[in-house]
Amino acid sequence: MNAAAEAEDLAIGDTLADARAKAGLLQVHAADPLADDAALRRLALWATRYTPAVALWGEESGADGLFLDITGASHLFGGEEKLLDDLAHRLARFGLPARLAIAETAGTAWALARFHPSPSVILPAGQESEALSPLPVAALRLLPETRTTLRRLGFKRIGALIDRPRAPFAARFEKELLRRLDQALGHAPEPLAPIVPPPVYHSLRYLLEPVFIQEAVVAIATRLMRDIVHALVRDGVGARSLRLALYRVDGKVKTIDIGLTRPTRSPDHVARLIDLKLDRMTETLDAGFGFEALGLAVTVAERMDARQTELSSLSEAAGDAGTTDERCAKLVDSLRQRLGPRCVRWLAPVASHLPERAETRCAEASSWPAPDEARPRPLLLFARAEPADNVTALVPEGPPRRFRWRSVMHGVARAQGPERIAGEWWRNTQAPTRDYYLVEDEAGRRFWLYREGLFGRETALPRWFVHGLFA
Amino acid sequence: MPPVPLPGRRRAETVEKLRRLLPRLERVSAGTSVLPFGLPALDAHLPQGGLVRGALHEIAPRASADTPAAFGLLAALLTLPALTSDRPVLLVGDIADHGRVYGHGLRGFGLDPSRLILVETKNDKQALWAMEEALRSRVPVAVAGTIDKLDLKTSQRLHLAAGDAGLPLLLLRPAKTAHASAAATRWRVGSAEAARDRFGLIARWRWKVSLERCRNGRPGEWLVEFDHGAHRFSLAAPLADPALSRGRYAPLVKRAG
């Protein structure tokens, strides 16, 4: 309900006819809870500029607000009052009327935000029960049935519930009532479910003037990483995954995720990766009126040996870093950052008889078995075998004498084979057997051909395919 | 500056000095690290006694259908003992139109796929960036790649990057390549009948390899064999196949023998 609606004496739960009768002219729109939810989520993301732990109000809390856990974050703004002022000011600038409250517990803060006469309240610690006493029982976030029962029994204010013997309430009501009361008073914990898991290592910087250019963003990100490095060193860990949040002046938040192959603590390395990513994002990243704040968070941290860091810090000074593995990881990181994470891969063997299934491309190097000299494999393999037609063979189960592939006839000078590879019957009973031949044509080009199906047993007319090319 | 007339003795000294300076300017000197083929006939033909390490080398097939052979020579070079270490090899780009690099094939060829980092790129611009980045990092022991279009300026840039890093950059080029480029060498590879053992099985891969362009060197042509078991190049022996001692390869083969 906004002020205009209140002025017309409308109430939530009125029928449309009543509302029309009261207000006269009324535009009606269907409720769009999904869009509301999305908008609230956007706001929550924006609010991570104050603290990484931001939780949406759930169903039972009305689903129309946010909890911000500002424990340990308020000093960054010069105290709770200043933080609240800043928040109110910025929300007003977005055109969002807001009711704000700071209290020791989430329950009390909710109650004050909803029912306190002032739109912005700061409750000093320890005054929860005094503050809650005059408020109606609805301020405890109770189910409608519980509220109705309480009203019938004559309990209108929370004060009437505080410090009463608990046993009768416990017997009469669901556990909910006492739980909510305890949570509001801080006797029971109320876990919040933050929209993004709060990172352990986090650094945030507010800028006096918004920044637009890539160099500035990278420079600030480097400083943020330097701030985090101390904590990383203290805990003996390195960052495996980072998230840079760019807070735009108009309240939109852009996030940039950075993955690393090996844990790192090097601000320069992180800065370079961010730079590469920004290079790639130039089209999609819209700075708008600039970014007013930047936050860098380590989303995944991994153990990193102290010896390693000393080595890398020494060699970084020399401009050349660490062991081959570390430097290789750095190279892979920067390539992935610029080209995309799936663009840098290794070949990995797969236990399968079928040549096309026998290997895959994966994100890490894996060891290969020794090659089988008796089973030559081509250097280049077609992902999908290409059909060869006009194949003539002396005998139906013999090697080909001539074949046409990609509209060129090839006369076979020599053939080596066959190597018989049966279909994977545990996967597909219909898969025919293949006979592979290493075939050399008259020009000396070498092909890997196969005949699909055993002549006479599986098929009357076997088909031929070119599956690979030898050097 | 106008040329200063020099007396006879000074002149000889100056020429000598310039002679020493010239290779330095051209980035070739006695100290340049080279990558020998291990094949006396070829190594003696090349001005530095092998492929210069810090340089761009182009390998192109004679015809598009010879691309596997050209890729074979590239892969064979990567397996040379001089390039065998625990450092990785980068392959930037994919072999268009002729299938995908197959790990089991490379393994059989003597190149361990776990050392090979495949970098897939969407266009030549990305591929060039990736190659330069890899060279600058000096992590890989060699960088190989495929590039469709390469102008003189870009090739100079790559050549310099390879020179600064002291790493060989092997480029697989399309068959139509004829443009000027800054590459130290350009090789043309054609398919040739493989050398077989007495059971008729392929014993050594064989290619018609010609040196088309070579900085400070002469072109040449050889029938090269590669033994993937021993990682060794050799020249086709004239006695192994009498057909080879006839025809255009005969004199070269004899000289080598």
Side-chain angles (χ1 to χ4, degrees), chain A residues 357-397:
Chain A
R357 283 215 190 112
E359 77 172 35
T360 173
R361 294 185 175 203
C362 72
E364 271 168 40
S366 41
S367 64
W368 280 71
D372 185 351
E373 281 292 324
R375 297 164 192 273
R377 290 287 180 267
L379 276 187
L380 300 168
L381 189 86
F382 294 109
R384 189 175 285 248
E386 300 192 355
D389 46 14
N390 278 10
V391 181
T392 51
L394 269 190
V395 282
E397 57 270 19

Side-chain angles (χ1 to χ4, degrees), chain A residues 49-341:
Chain A
R49 72 199 302 289
Y50 292 100
T51 164
V54 175
L56 300 170
W57 285 2
E59 246 349 282
E60 75 289 345
S61 313
D64 56 356
L66 305 169
F67 285 126
L68 271 64
D69 184 357
I70 56 163
T71 316
S74 53
H75 72 273
L76 294 172
F77 296 85
E80 291 175 347
E81 297 84 20
K82 291 224 171 100
L83 189 148
L84 210 62
D85 283 350
D86 187 68
L87 184 57
H89 177 66
R90 282 175 198 278
L91 287 173
R93 237 172 41 191
F94 294 153
L96 293 174
R99 296 184 58 87
L100 311 167
I102 294 180
E104 277 297 285
T105 65
T108 307
W110 190 90
L112 292 174
R114 277 278 165 129
F115 294 97
H116 199 273
S118 156
S120 127
V121 195
I122 298 175
L123 189 71
Q127 299 183 12
E128 285 82 27
S129 52
E130 291 91 80
L132 285 174
S133 295
L135 300 182
V137 286
L140 283 179
R141 291 180 286 165
L142 299 172
L143 294 173
E145 307 87 76
T146 320
R147 269 205 319 259
T148 322
T149 322
L150 279 173
R151 205 176 55 237
R152 284 203 192 122
L153 291 173
F155 293 103
K156 294 216 169 60
R157 306 272 155 202
I158 298 176
L161 300 171
I162 295 175
D163 295 333
R164 285 294 165 98
R166 293 168 71 88
F169 286 105
R172 188 111 190 211
F173 293 95
E174 299 282 329
K175 267 194 236 141
E176 188 219 358
L177 173 62
L178 288 175
R179 182 169 60 89
R180 285 297 187 199
L181 193 59
D182 286 346
Q183 280 178 348
L185 293 172
H187 300 321
E190 180 174 1
L192 300 178
I195 45 161
V196 281
V200 186
Y201 307 100
H202 182 253
S203 173
L204 200 69
R205 201 169 274 249
Y206 300 94
L207 310 169
L208 292 175
E209 285 289 321
V211 295
F212 302 87
I213 53 169
Q214 191 173 332
E215 286 78 26
V217 170
V218 173
I220 294 162
T222 318
R223 288 212 299 255
L224 291 174
M225 186 63 194
R226 283 213 189 99
D227 295 346
I228 297 179
V229 164
H230 301 294
L232 293 176
V233 172
R234 183 193 65 210
D235 296 355
V237 293
R240 264 303 293 274
S241 167
L242 292 140
R243 170 171 293 168
L244 179 71
L246 302 163
Y247 298 91
R248 246 166 62 169
V249 174
D250 59 0
K252 293 226 170 62
V253 184
K254 299 267 177 184
T255 54
I256 293 173
D257 286 297
I258 295 141
L260 293 119
T261 4
R262 288 170 73 97
T264 188
R265 278 179 215 155
S266 154
D268 295 334
H269 184 42
V270 170
R272 187 163 152 63
L273 294 183
I274 289 171
D275 196 23
L276 290 172
K277 186 85 166 203
L278 288 172
D279 271 349
R280 203 171 129 221
M281 289 175 70
T282 32
E283 293 90 33
T284 51
L285 189 77
D286 177 15
F289 293 107
F291 302 110
E292 57 174 357
L294 272 81
L296 185 71
V298 176
T299 43
V300 179
E302 221 170 64
R303 253 192 70 77
M304 192 170 158
D305 293 336
R307 191 183 54 80
Q308 253 178 337
T309 50
E310 275 162 31
L311 258 179
S312 62
S313 60
L314 268 179
S315 42
E316 262 158 34
D320 210 3
T323 62
T324 308
D325 279 359
E326 277 170 31
R327 290 167 55 207
C328 182
K330 276 191 179 179
L331 171 65
V332 169
D333 283 343
S334 40
L335 290 174
R336 280 193 178 141
Q337 223 38 249
R338 170 78 175 251
L339 306 172

Side-chain angles (χ1 to χ4, degrees), chain B residues 120-206:
Chain B
E120 292 154 44
T121 52
K122 289 182 194 72
N123 48 42
D124 277 0
K125 199 179 150 201
Q126 282 193 352
L128 290 169
W129 177 84
M131 283 185 230
E132 268 192 64
E133 176 77 16
L135 286 171
R136 220 177 309 130
S137 75
R138 294 177 201 211
V139 171
V141 70
V143 179
T146 57
I147 288 275
D148 277 345
K149 291 196 179 65
L150 184 73
D151 55 21
L152 182 61
K153 210 169 155 189
T154 318
S155 71
Q156 274 166 344
R157 198 176 152 151
L158 285 177
H159 184 67
L160 283 178
D164 288 342
L167 297 174
L169 172 61
L170 308 172
L171 279 190
L172 186 65
R173 306 295 321 280
K176 294 188 291 289
T177 312
H179 303 289
S181 102
T185 58
R186 181 188 291 153
W187 302 85
R188 280 278 170 194
V189 187
S191 312
E193 200 181 300
R196 291 175 186 269
D197 59 13
R198 56 205 170 97
F199 307 108
L201 303 176
I202 290 178
R204 291 181 301 278
W205 310 100
R206 200 180 272 171

